[in-house]
Amino acid sequence: MAYLSIARCGSYERREVEQAVNKCLRELGGLERFISAGQRVLVKPNLLAADPPEKGTDTHPEVVRAVLKEILAIGAQPIVGDSPGLGSLSRVAEKAGIACICRELKVPLGAFNQEVQVRTAPEGKILKSFPLVKEMTEVDAVINLPRVKTHGLTRLTGAVKNLFGCVAGLHKGELHFRLQRADVFQEMLIDLALTVKPVLTIVDGVMAMEGAGPRNGRQRFMGLILAGENLFSVDAVIARLVGLKPSEVPLLALAAKRGINGIKESEIELKGEKIEEFMIRDFEVPPSSAKIDLHVPDWVIRLFRRYLSPYPVIRENCQQCLVCLEACPAKVIACSQGKIEIDDRHCIRCYCCQEFCPHNAIELKTSFWGRFL
Ligand code: SF4
Ligand code: SF4
């Protein structure tokens, strides 16, 4: 049985967040159940891009503060870090309001600029090893701090997807390019979760992001902090909160197929508040391309992905900032005569361009056949 806890949190007001995080931890038996005094603990928020807290892109700084205070209170030594997809950690953390909390609490921000090959957990299926940031191998435990958001490729980004930020710098783009099938990419994320194995996940679910997440969606009030040890159970609960069955989230469907425990409702015991009070039934979640990839042979994917999976389209409000050119692992975006163009024939449908566009100028459209399937 996987034990999770939910605490109500009506705003990002400091005291309210601290009380909610503390309540969640107490329901799980206290933070001492997961880490002990003297241990080095890597706190891994979602630091996707250099946006201010009001935009809802990154884990909110008050949630990071509350967790750091809990860790310091039991005498452990936290370090904060993530490997953002674009830009340096220091710049992203500064803009996200997390660097100043680290300074206030005298908690170091990791450098996250060196990599180490780490052997994949024995249950892994896709890769033999991962190029992870060096800090991962220097700590005794990892505490995962995702935010509830939608994602073009995985539908939702929560506990498991947040760990993709442990993969060092440019290797993230390389993995997108090597593992072009959406289902294989998500199997890799499962391997990564089993390898990093955080001792605890604490989710920022105060304001969730729906629609064109993880950076350009709409913020939606959910009003909770969620915590648990089993990453897959945490994501299964997030799925229920946004009105999906775990089987409708490809990553969870693949994990269940592997026999990973804690995904079915009967395998999860929720403590604290009742989940029904926080469920948002009309939460807007993108369609899934992995659903199309599942059980379909490689040659069919290669031939027809272009017609079946959602495809990125540049909108009129493009500011020609060229961020998408840098983000595209397949290098199929070009700027010609002041216009951004995507070579659709060679687009691998990874949606990194949409994920990182700072101006919400890339839309994912689904073709008639994609909708039909
Ligand atoms: S990242 Fe967005 S705004 Fe910038 S060039 Fe690409 S589409 Fe245009
Ligand atoms: S254009 Fe966008 S979706 Fe296509 S390969 Fe490049 S980043 Fe991925």
Side-chain angles (χ1 to χ4, degrees):
M1 183 65 71
Y3 296 98
L4 269 68
S5 64
I6 293 180
R8 189 178 300 280
C9 188
S11 75
Y12 285 117
E13 195 269 318
R14 186 172 307 172
R15 258 181 75 79
E16 194 167 4
V17 176
E18 286 180 0
Q19 280 171 358
V21 167
N22 183 270
K23 190 157 178 253
C24 257
L25 294 175
R26 272 188 287 120
E27 293 282 4
L28 294 176
L31 188 55
E32 300 86 339
R33 271 198 57 227
F34 306 97
I35 56 170
S36 21
Q39 280 192 326
R40 294 198 71 205
V41 180
L42 174 65
V43 173
K44 160 69 182 80
N46 184 222
L47 281 169
L48 175 72
D51 287 336
E54 316 78 77
K55 195 173 171 203
T57 305
D58 307 305
T59 304
H60 196 279
E62 288 304 333
V63 176
V64 177
R65 181 202 299 276
V67 174
L68 289 177
K69 282 173 86 172
E70 294 283 346
I71 297 172
L72 291 166
I74 65 166
Q77 301 161 24
I79 163 174
V80 175
D82 191 6
S83 170
L86 281 180
S88 70
L89 170 61
S90 56
R91 182 170 165 262
V92 175
E94 201 63 63
K95 191 85 191 211
I98 288 173
C100 91
I101 282 170
C102 289
R103 283 193 292 273
E104 261 177 54
L105 299 177
K106 299 191 174 42
V107 169
L109 195 59
F112 271 54
N113 56 8
Q114 289 182 47
E115 66 184 70
V116 177
Q117 279 295 327
V118 175
R119 189 185 287 270
T120 306
E123 317 89 285
K125 258 177 88 171
I126 304 294
L127 300 178
K128 289 200 173 77
S129 66
F130 281 97
L132 301 185
V133 289
K134 190 159 152 267
E135 283 83 350
M136 287 290 318
T137 57
E138 296 172 338
V139 293
D140 302 300
V142 175
I143 294 185
N144 188 22
L145 299 189
R147 187 165 187 157
V148 177
K149 293 188 293 179
T150 48
H151 194 282
L153 184 64
T154 53
R155 304 199 84 189
L156 291 176
T157 160
V160 174
K161 175 71 174 63
N162 190 41
L163 298 176
F164 195 44
C166 297
V167 171
L170 297 175
H171 290 291
K172 286 191 276 298
E174 259 172 53
L175 287 176
H176 273 294
F177 195 67
R178 270 173 67 191
L179 311 173
Q180 293 184 13
R181 284 182 64 125
D183 55 345
V184 175
F185 185 82
Q186 294 186 77
E187 291 277 18
M188 176 278 294
L189 290 176
I190 296 170
D191 285 0
L192 179 63
L194 297 170
T195 305
V196 173
K197 229 179 167 193
V199 292
L200 181 65
T201 293
I202 303 173
V203 183
D204 172 0
V206 181
M207 294 298 290
M209 185 182 280
E210 66 175 355
R215 190 180 187 185
N216 291 305
R218 275 178 307 279
Q219 290 195 71
R220 189 93 192 251
F221 179 72
M222 190 172 261
L224 60 79
I225 299 288
L226 163 71
E229 190 175 351
N230 182 325
L231 293 157
F232 299 93
S233 309
V234 170
D235 280 350
V237 169
I238 292 177
R240 285 176 63 201
L241 283 164
V242 301
L244 295 178
K245 295 188 198 110
S247 58
E248 293 173 311
V249 180
L251 195 146
L252 292 173
L254 292 164
K257 210 168 137 209
R258 281 202 203 186
I260 289 175
N261 286 322
I263 296 170
K264 291 188 200 132
E265 221 175 303
S266 58
E267 296 167 342
I268 298 174
E269 189 175 321
L270 277 169
K271 294 165 178 283
E273 309 286 344
K274 292 206 173 348
I275 186 171
E276 290 76 14
E277 292 175 29
F278 303 91
M279 285 168 142
I280 306 177
R281 294 185 199 282
D282 61 346
F283 197 89
E284 192 195 323
V285 184
S288 164
S289 50
K291 204 166 58 185
I292 293 166
D293 283 11
L294 286 173
H295 317 299
V296 179
D298 267 355
W299 67 270
V300 178
I301 300 280
R302 274 197 300 273
L303 263 179
F304 297 109
R305 180 172 49 201
R306 218 179 127 204
Y307 307 103
L308 302 180
S309 302
Y311 55 98
V313 173
I314 311 285
R315 285 193 182 129
E316 288 292 307
N317 64 322
C318 167
Q319 308 288 307
Q320 279 127 37
C321 67
L322 309 187
V323 166
C324 55
L325 272 70
E326 200 188 325
C328 175
K331 299 295 165 220
V332 297
I333 310 182
C335 181
S336 135
Q337 295 170 346
K339 208 168 162 240
I340 304 295
E341 283 170 356
I342 296 174
D343 172 3
D344 189 54
R345 282 167 312 150
H346 298 107
C347 166
I348 60 172
R349 307 297 198 245
C350 66
Y351 312 125
C352 294
C353 51
Q354 182 255 350
E355 181 169 344
F356 289 106
C357 173
H359 302 289
N360 193 14
I362 298 184
E363 188 180 351
L364 300 184
K365 288 203 167 163
T366 309
S367 68
F368 167 78
W369 287 110
R371 284 198 300 276
F372 178 73
L373 277 176

